[in-house]
Amino acid sequence: MKLLKQIFDIFFTHSCYICKESINHEGICNDCWKKLKFITNPKCKICGYPFEFHDEDINKDLICLKCLRKYPKFDKNISSLRYNEASKNIIIPFKHSNKTMLKNFISEIMISSGKELIDQCDFIIPIPIHFKRLIKRKYNQSALLAHTISKKTKKKYLPVLKRIKFTESQGHLTTKERIKNVKNNFEINKKYKKIIIGKTALLIDDVITTGATINECARVLKNNGFSRVLVLTFCKVC
C-alpha cells in the first residue's frame, strides 16, 4: 500500500501554482483562490477600472475619470483580475521563468471573464514583442495566451501586429514616459491588410498597467482598417 501511495503521489498530485502546496488537481488551492481578486461590476465600461462601491442599482454604463478626460483608442477592455500578490505569483513565473504550462489556467480564466468580447471579435491578436526580446525570453507570453484562447474558442488567431523598435522595459517608467516609449512602435503586417477592413479585433495581453501599449496598438489597428478594437487581459493594475 505504501508503494502504491508513493506511485499515486508521483503521478496524480500537483503543486499549487501560487503557494506550491500539494493539491490533487492542476491549478491553485482553495486558500490561494480566495486571494485572487476578480474584477466585477461596477467598473468603467471602457477601460474596466473597478469602482470602490457596490450597488446593483447603479447604472452599469459608468465611465472613469481617466477615460472621460481622454477616450482610449480601444473600445472596451475586460481584465479578469486585479494585479495583486496572488495574481503576480502566477504572471511573473509565466512571463519570465518559462512556466508556459500556466497558459491553460490563465486562458481559461480570461475566456470566462471575456466571453462577451470573444463572441464579438473576428480575430484574436497578440501584443507583439521585438525579436531581440523574443530571442532573450524565448517566447512571447501574449502570443501564447492569444493562440491558446484562439484554439479553445475557435476564433481566428491573427499575428497582424509587428513591433518595429526595440525599447527599454516599461516597468519603471511613468505614464508619460510609457506613452512616448511605445509611440510609433508598431505596424501592420501588410499581408493581412485586405482581410481586416471593417473587422473587430480582440487584443490579448497578460497585464494592463497604464494602457499605453494597448492604446498604441489599437491606434495602429484602427488606422489600418479595423472598425473596432476590444481588449482582454488577465490582470489590471488598479
Side-chain angles (χ1 to χ4, degrees), residues 125-129 140 158-164 185-190 192 201 203-204 213-214 216-222 224 226 229:
I125 299 169
I127 301 295
I129 61 175
N140 174 3
L158 196 73
V160 67
L161 283 170
K162 296 191 294 182
R163 198 159 197 149
I164 56 177
N185 203 355
F186 302 93
E187 66 179 24
I188 290 287
N189 188 328
K190 290 181 174 56
Y192 299 118
L203 279 171
I204 300 293
T213 299
I214 290 290
E216 180 64 11
C217 287
R219 184 186 70 81
V220 171
L221 290 174
K222 285 190 171 180
N224 284 275
F226 277 100
V229 177

Side-chain angles (χ1 to χ4, degrees), residues 45-192:
K45 73 172 187 177
I46 299 175
C47 74
Y49 189 91
F51 294 112
E52 298 299 330
F53 53 81
H54 300 281
D55 189 334
E56 294 180 359
D57 295 327
I58 291 176
N59 192 325
K60 292 183 179 180
D61 289 333
L62 297 171
I63 301 177
C64 70
L65 187 58
K66 181 181 177 182
C67 289
L68 281 173
R69 285 174 174 164
K70 188 174 183 180
Y71 265 51
K73 298 297 183 183
F74 57 85
D75 295 277
K76 184 180 179 71
N77 167 67
I78 288 179
S79 298
S80 301
L81 302 168
R82 289 175 181 255
Y83 187 76
N84 64 3
E85 198 62 31
S87 57
K88 175 184 176 182
N89 286 332
I90 297 172
I91 281 296
I92 296 302
F94 172 63
K95 190 170 184 173
H96 297 293
S97 300
N98 294 314
K99 301 294 184 182
T100 56
M101 74 286 190
L102 289 169
K103 67 184 182 181
N104 291 311
F105 176 78
I106 295 171
S107 64
E108 285 295 339
I109 290 179
M110 293 174 69
I111 290 169
S112 178
S113 299
K115 184 181 184 304
E116 66 171 278
L117 302 186
I118 294 168
D119 288 345
Q120 294 174 44
C121 80
D122 296 297
F123 300 111
I124 290 179
I125 299 169
I127 301 295
I129 61 175
H130 194 271
F131 77 91
K132 288 183 179 179
R133 186 158 282 122
L134 183 61
I135 291 171
K136 183 179 180 180
R137 191 180 291 172
K138 301 174 186 174
Y139 59 94
N140 174 3
Q141 77 282 354
S142 297
L144 282 179
L145 290 176
H147 193 261
T148 304
I149 292 170
S150 169
K151 286 180 66 176
K152 290 175 182 286
T153 62
K154 310 302 182 185
K155 289 285 185 173
K156 186 173 178 61
Y157 173 83
L158 196 73
V160 67
L161 283 170
K162 296 191 294 182
R163 198 159 197 149
I164 56 177
K165 295 180 184 177
F166 183 73
T167 54
E168 61 180 311
S169 175
Q170 302 211 124
H172 64 286
L173 300 180
T174 65
T175 299
K176 286 185 178 180
E177 289 170 337
R178 285 170 181 256
I179 292 171
K180 183 179 179 181
N181 196 43
V182 298
K183 185 69 174 176
N184 298 319
N185 203 355
F186 302 93
E187 66 179 24
I188 290 287
N189 188 328
K190 290 181 174 56
K191 73 178 182 179
Y192 299 118

Side-chain angles (χ1 to χ4, degrees), residues 19-33:
C19 70
K20 310 307 178 188
E21 289 293 322
S22 294
I23 53 178
N24 59 7
H25 62 276
E26 190 171 352
I28 63 176
C29 67
N30 289 337
D31 288 340
C32 288
W33 182 264

